[in-house]
Amino acid sequence: MFNKILIANRGEIALRVICACKELGIKAVAVYSEADRNSLHVRFADEAVCIGPPRPSDSYLNIPAVISAAEIANVDAIHPGYGLLSENANFAEVCAACGIKFIGPRPEVIRMMGEKEKARMAMKKAGVPILPGSDGVIATAEEAIKWAQEVGFPVIVKASAGGGGRGMRVIRSAEELPNMFNAAQTEAANAFGNGDLYMEKFIERPRHIEFQVLADEFGNVVSLGERECSIQRRHQKLLEESPSVVVTPEMRKEIGGILEKTMREIGYSNAGTVEFLMDEDGKLNFIEMNTRIQVEHAVTEMVTDVDLVKSQIMIAAGYKLPDVLHGPIVHRGHAIECRINAEHPEKFTPSAGKITTYHIPGGTGVRVDTAQYAEGVVPPYYDSLIAKLVVRGKDREEAISRMTRALEMFIVEGIFTSIPLHQRIMRDPDFRAGNFDTKFMERFLGESNLKNKH
Ligand code: MV4
């Protein structure tokens, strides 16, 4: 097992990885920017190294600074958390070149999944269901029209180097296609340094459902079921749950089996998330794969009792899956996560500043992942997630009641948070009925704006 790990991240996820290190008897090294000197990830680590000024590009994204800290501290491995350097194949290569184990899949696999069109073709070849669309990159508007007529309008053009909602265009007719296509190409080339585009049939009201997988470095793979992530606004997830009310045990088994085979074939290792869109017919279609631990991993941990971060570390240290897991994966109960963001609940503007009061809820079935504390400061330089409130209940109804009372017992003063927004979502009849898709928040906020005006 590793002796010492550096955590190339901040906030709640840095603390989450420190927890896993402590439980595994591994020393944890924190890195921090000048804005994070008084952060809990610094306090709870065994060692901490300042890596630069507040701006992420000067500190957490500065590969030479992170690697220097790792060399000074003499660590065996680096855990990148999510965001920042977590899906940077070059960083994973630099780690390897320096004799430091990157806790994640191989650089080649990270790179392939980062090229969304390549990932799509690899999944198609392996038998993972995908949406009707182009085979490979589309070079010209003329070629795009040919594909669109084959697929049928509306279509969506996506940047291969994009992902997570960046560099997409919905096209509804052949007339508007050339302009839209060329604009998307130019935009992608400017934004990502790569203008490659591909096309899919556009699903008007998809549900966003993702599958968690774990793979060791010996070809053993396991699927840990799905997370429902449709409650989002502007591609920022607000709430996730597991299981999804629309995924049947048969679908879970079928997709899980396909993914286990596919991940083995592509030589995937460590934790990964495979994103699907569910279409109007209830069919799951692959869209993208994320090669990192995700924010919402805790909902899967709550229903499976598998510690995903410990699993990541053990896999990177060379353990085999049967030794990482405690037996077959069993799903028990229902988990929901609310992302508590430091932002105005209606305007969604970031709310940095000093927290004056901070009371974290507890009790049966409640988990809070946070690096915030009373009198602590939310700096303006980073993303606005200050806590994840995760609950588990015996069923969805109990999880919703538990979340409702936990939100009421979560007190944050001094800054604005998304707590009131989540309280309103918990009361919404469509949410309670499990009747929603990725357009839910548009309807929800639109309706409540209307109500507020009258
Ligand atoms: C789509 C789609 C409809 N049809 N692809 C947005 C994020 C990126 N990961 C993929 N996205 C979408 N791709 C087809 N063929 C609709 C979206 C989409 C979306 C997807 C998941 C969660 C929220 C979303 C919000 C708007 C659009």
Side-chain angles (χ1 to χ4, degrees):
M1 182 41 89
F2 300 128
N3 173 52
K4 207 195 258 191
I5 293 175
L6 180 138
I7 299 128
N9 216 300
R10 64 179 301 282
E12 68 84 21
I13 193 62
L15 214 46
R16 170 70 189 88
V17 179
I18 291 173
C19 291
C21 289
K22 286 186 186 292
E23 292 181 22
L24 288 168
I26 301 168
K27 290 201 264 314
V29 179
V31 292
Y32 63 96
S33 74
E34 285 161 14
D36 281 339
R37 231 170 248 289
N38 298 318
S39 295
L40 285 189
H41 79 284
V42 172
R43 181 155 177 166
F44 289 125
D46 296 283
E47 297 170 41
V49 185
C50 182
I51 52 166
R55 275 172 35 213
S57 54
D58 295 331
S59 49
Y60 299 106
L61 288 172
N62 181 342
I63 294 177
V66 172
I67 295 288
S68 302
E71 307 247 83
I72 290 164
N74 194 27
V75 301
D76 307 305
I78 295 183
H79 195 300
Y82 52 67
L84 300 176
L85 297 171
S86 63
E87 293 180 288
N88 185 319
N90 297 332
F91 177 64
E93 274 168 358
V94 173
C95 289
C98 297
I100 301 164
K101 180 77 182 181
F102 175 84
I103 302 175
R106 295 180 289 121
E108 309 87 85
V109 176
I110 299 176
R111 191 165 286 125
M112 185 194 44
M113 293 306 174
E115 295 179 51
K116 307 299 169 187
E117 171 274 321
K118 283 210 179 71
R120 177 179 140 89
M121 286 300 106
M123 294 293 169
K124 181 183 181 183
K125 187 159 158 261
V128 181
I130 60 168
L131 289 161
S134 60
D135 281 328
V137 172
I138 315 174
T140 62
E142 291 72 55
E143 210 186 310
I145 290 185
K146 280 223 307 277
W147 278 116
Q149 276 157 354
E150 192 156 310
V151 168
F153 287 99
V155 296
I156 183 167
V157 166
K158 298 183 176 182
S160 188
R166 298 172 312 152
M168 311 189 313
R169 283 278 194 304
V170 179
I171 306 178
R172 297 190 178 275
S173 70
E175 293 72 62
E176 65 175 17
L177 188 141
N179 279 341
M180 297 278 254
F181 184 87
N182 293 330
Q185 209 166 38
T186 307
E187 200 179 285
N190 289 333
F192 315 117
N194 171 359
D196 287 357
L197 301 179
Y198 65 105
M199 183 184 285
E200 284 172 353
K201 172 97 193 139
F202 179 65
I203 309 299
E204 299 278 1
R205 303 194 158 285
R207 291 179 83 120
H208 182 193
I209 295 169
E210 59 187 28
F211 277 69
Q212 176 73 54
V213 297
L214 273 180
D216 68 16
E217 297 181 351
F218 306 92
N220 304 301
V221 188
V222 68
S223 167
L224 293 102
E226 80 284 358
R227 296 184 287 259
E228 164 70 65
C229 304
S230 299
I231 308 290
Q232 55 84 44
R233 182 182 172 272
R234 298 197 180 168
H235 305 297
Q236 286 294 112
K237 292 169 188 159
L238 292 168
L239 178 158
E240 305 91 349
E241 57 182 302
S242 187
S244 165
V245 296
V246 291
V247 173
T248 63
E250 293 70 37
M251 291 161 75
R252 185 172 303 120
K253 189 153 178 255
E254 190 199 345
I255 298 288
I258 294 171
L259 292 179
E260 286 168 6
K261 173 181 156 289
T262 302
M263 293 302 123
R264 197 170 306 125
E265 278 173 20
I266 63 180
Y268 196 86
S269 57
N270 220 279
T273 298
V274 188
E275 296 187 354
F276 291 84
L277 291 186
M278 182 182 271
D279 60 27
E280 288 85 355
D281 302 332
K283 183 174 170 278
L284 288 167
N285 304 282
F286 168 84
I287 49 165
E288 291 175 21
M289 177 162 193
N290 304 320
T291 57
R292 59 173 192 273
I293 192 78
Q294 301 214 169
V295 173
E296 60 272 27
H297 74 276
V299 299
T300 299
E301 294 186 327
M302 293 287 261
V303 293
T304 61
D305 262 345
V306 173
D307 186 318
L308 290 168
V309 179
K310 272 196 210 174
S311 301
Q312 284 191 290
I313 295 169
M314 291 181 76
I315 286 166
Y319 284 76
K320 292 186 171 157
L321 221 43
D323 301 320
V324 171
L325 303 171
H326 42 60
I329 304 296
V330 209
H331 300 264
R332 283 187 63 238
H334 195 102
I336 304 178
E337 166 177 281
C338 287
R339 295 192 186 194
I340 312 302
N341 294 322
E343 65 191 15
H344 194 279
E346 273 115 44
K347 291 183 275 187
F348 292 94
T349 48
S351 180
K354 186 165 176 167
I355 294 177
T356 52
T357 308
Y358 200 64
H359 178 264
I360 299 172
T364 307
V366 177
R367 164 177 171 178
V368 179
D369 281 19
T370 184
Q372 274 308 333
Y373 55 93
E375 307 289 300
V377 169
V378 181
Y381 312 102
Y382 313 109
D383 83 18
S384 62
L385 184 80
I386 58 160
K388 306 188 309 202
L389 173 54
V390 195
V391 303
R392 185 195 164 283
K394 65 178 189 297
D395 52 24
R396 190 167 186 269
E397 201 183 323
E398 187 177 65
I400 291 174
S401 316
R402 191 161 278 162
M403 181 60 83
T404 303
R405 73 94 175 146
L407 285 163
E408 192 184 317
M409 298 171 88
F410 205 146
I411 302 171
V412 184
E413 286 168 357
I415 58 165
F416 289 111
T417 75
S418 51
I419 292 172
L421 178 70
H422 285 301
Q423 287 175 317
R424 286 163 52 216
I425 296 172
M426 289 303 126
R427 291 194 294 264
D428 183 83
D430 282 331
F431 173 74
R432 296 178 78 95
N435 175 24
F436 54 81
D437 55 49
T438 53
K439 291 258 162 69
F440 174 83
M441 287 307 293
E442 273 174 47
R443 286 198 294 273
F444 182 81
L445 295 168
E447 279 170 20
S448 67
N449 283 349
L450 218 67
K451 264 187 230 137
N452 291 345
K453 274 182 203 140
H454 290 252

